[in-house]
Amino acid sequence: MTDDPYKVLGVNKTASQDEIKKAYRKLAKKLHPDLHPGDAGKQAEFQAVTAANDLVGDPEKRRRFDAGEIDASGQERQERQYYHQYADQGAGRRYDPGSDGGNFDDASDLFSELFGRRQGGGAGHHQEFHARGQDIRYHIDVDFLDAARGSKRSVTMPDGKGIEITIPRGVKDGQSLRLRGKGGAGYGKGPAGDALVTVSVRAHPVFVRDGNDIEVELPITFDEAVLGAKIEVPTIEGAVAMTIPKGVSSGHRMRLKGKGIAGGDQFVRLRIVLPEKIDKQMEELAAGWREHASFDPRTELRRNT
Amino acid sequence: MSFDERTVVGQVQRVSLKELRIWVREGWVRPAQSDRGPIFDEVDIARVRLLCDLKKDMSLPKDALPVVLTLLDHLHQTRRELRALTAALDTQPEDVRRTVVTKFHDIHSGVNEPDGEG
C-alpha cells in the first residue's frame, strides 16, 4: 500500500478539489465493503481510499500535507530541531568562541568596529587586548506569589559572587532578566559581562494566571448559593470580602477589578459543593422542594440535541 | 522551557548522565546554573543531540570533538554576524544597498581588489 494519497486516489498532485472528489466517489462506488461483503482486500483498499480522501479532500489538510506539516496518516510531523536552527538565532550566542576568535590581519578598521573582535583602537595596538567579560547564565525558580507581587532574591553566582536579583512584579514563566555588568569580569579595560537570569514560576494550588488576570475557583455551600452571602476570597494581596448574589449557579464567574497582577483583574468562578454526608434535614428540604417545583434546567439541552 | 540533568538524559536517550556531565565540564554544553544544579534549555538539548551525532553516528574521535565544535561555533557566529550586517544594510536606501551589493560582488569575485592597486 502506498503512502501517497494522490496515488491512492489515482489523481495528479495538481488535481483540483473537484477532481479529487470525483476520483474518490468513483473508487468508493467500486470498492465499498458493503458491495463486496467478505472481500478483505477490497475493504483495505476502500479504507486507504477513504483515508486519502480525508486528507487531500480537505483543502486545509491538503495544504498542510503538501507543505510537509503532516504525514499521510494525518499526524503532525515531529521534526527534530537541529542545533543550527538555534545557533542561527540569538540564543546561539552562548556558544560563540569568544573575543579571542577571529584574527583578521588584513581586516579594516570597519571590520573590527563591526565585529568587535579586535577591540582597543585601530591598527598598531594589536598587543593590547580589551574585551567585554563573559555573560553568565543563571536560572531561578520563583514562587507564584513572589512573581505576581515582585520580590528580591539573593543568589550566589557560579563564580562565587553573591548578587541580589530584583524580581519585577508580574514576571512571566520563562522570562529572562538581564543584569548589566553582573557577569564575568572584563579583559583589560573591557566592561564586565551581564548576568542573564531566566525565571521559572512555580504553579500555585489556588491561583491560576492568565496574562495579568488571576483565576480562582471558589467553593460555596448550597445555602450561600440560594440566599446569597458575603464571603472572604483569597487574592494575591490577601483576602477580600466579596458579595455573592442570591441564586447563583456553579460556574458563575465574578470579577474583582484590579485584584490581579499589576492592575489586572481577579476572576472568581463559583462552585457549589455539597457536604460529603447529606443529613436528614437537607434531604427533607430537597424532597419538599421537589414536590412543588417545576424548574427544569435541561430544557435548553433537549432543544439543542 | 528548562530541563534539569535527568530530564535531558531522559529526552536524549543516547546520552548518559556521566557523559553529559563531562560535556558540561568541558564547556561543550553550557547550561544555566541554579541552586538545584545545571538547567538546560532547547538550545542546549539540540547541542547535546549534535554531540551525540558527532560522537556516535559519525564516530568522531574524542580529541577531534572540541576542534569540530570550535569550527562549528565560529561558523555560526560568522553566519549570525553576516545576517546582522545584511539586516543593517536592509535599512539603507535603495541606492546605497545597490552600490554595496555591486561592490561586494566585484570584490568577492576578485574583479576589483579592495586596495585598488593600479
Side-chain angles (χ1 to χ4, degrees), chain A residues 242-257:
Chain A
M242 189 176 77
T243 307
I244 292 172
K246 248 182 176 180
V248 288
S249 298
S250 270
H252 185 83
R253 209 153 160 264
M254 298 176 70
R255 181 161 78 149
L256 292 170
K257 213 169 167 355

Side-chain angles (χ1 to χ4, degrees), chain A residues 25-245:
Chain A
R25 287 222 184 104
K26 206 171 146 200
L27 286 166
K29 276 185 224 158
K30 198 173 94 188
L31 299 167
H32 197 284
D34 287 342
L35 305 177
H36 309 278
D39 187 337
K42 285 232 163 51
Q43 177 157 349
E45 250 185 281
F46 177 75
Q47 276 163 355
V49 165
T50 309
N53 180 62
D54 283 347
L55 192 64
V56 294
D58 178 317
E60 171 61 6
K61 279 190 200 157
R62 184 186 183 188
R63 184 195 63 74
R64 297 188 63 197
F65 174 78
D66 287 347
E69 289 171 21
I70 50 178
D71 62 22
S73 62
Q75 295 297 310
E76 205 87 47
R77 218 162 252 177
Q78 274 283 339
E79 287 222 8
R80 166 172 166 190
Q81 294 293 305
Y82 281 95
Y83 177 68
H84 70 87
Q85 289 164 291
Y86 294 105
D88 272 2
Q89 299 163 9
R93 223 171 281 141
R94 89 182 54 147
Y95 289 113
D96 280 352
S99 28
D100 58 335
N103 195 4
F104 291 77
D105 281 334
D106 61 343
S108 64
D109 286 350
L110 179 64
F111 189 94
S112 13
E113 217 178 294
L114 274 173
F115 303 119
R117 288 187 190 159
R118 253 199 307 156
Q119 299 181 25
H125 297 269
H126 290 231
Q127 53 277 72
E128 230 178 297
F129 180 70
H130 305 291
R132 193 172 160 275
Q134 266 199 323
D135 289 340
I136 293 181
R137 291 171 57 249
Y138 203 81
H139 180 98
I140 51 172
D141 297 296
V142 176
D143 281 337
F144 185 93
L145 289 176
D146 285 345
R149 297 190 292 224
S151 66
K152 282 196 194 309
R153 175 83 165 269
S154 302
V155 300
T156 309
M157 300 305 275
D159 60 0
K161 226 172 18 193
I163 59 167
E164 186 165 75
I165 299 172
T166 303
I167 296 157
R169 183 163 72 143
V171 69
K172 292 184 186 68
D173 187 39
Q175 202 175 317
S176 223
L177 310 171
R178 182 182 284 271
L179 309 179
R180 296 218 178 271
K182 299 290 187 188
Y187 305 95
K189 288 179 189 141
D194 301 335
L196 305 171
V197 181
T198 45
V199 179
S200 271
V201 180
R202 292 196 192 96
H204 194 276
V206 172
F207 300 114
V208 177
R209 187 168 170 179
D210 178 14
N212 275 346
D213 294 337
I214 297 277
E215 292 262 354
V216 170
E217 191 183 69
L218 185 72
I220 57 172
T221 60
F222 108 97
D223 55 292
E224 286 166 340
V226 172
L227 305 171
K230 200 162 182 164
I231 299 184
E232 281 218 329
V233 182
T235 75
I236 55 170
E237 303 286 357
V240 299
M242 189 176 77
T243 307
I244 292 172

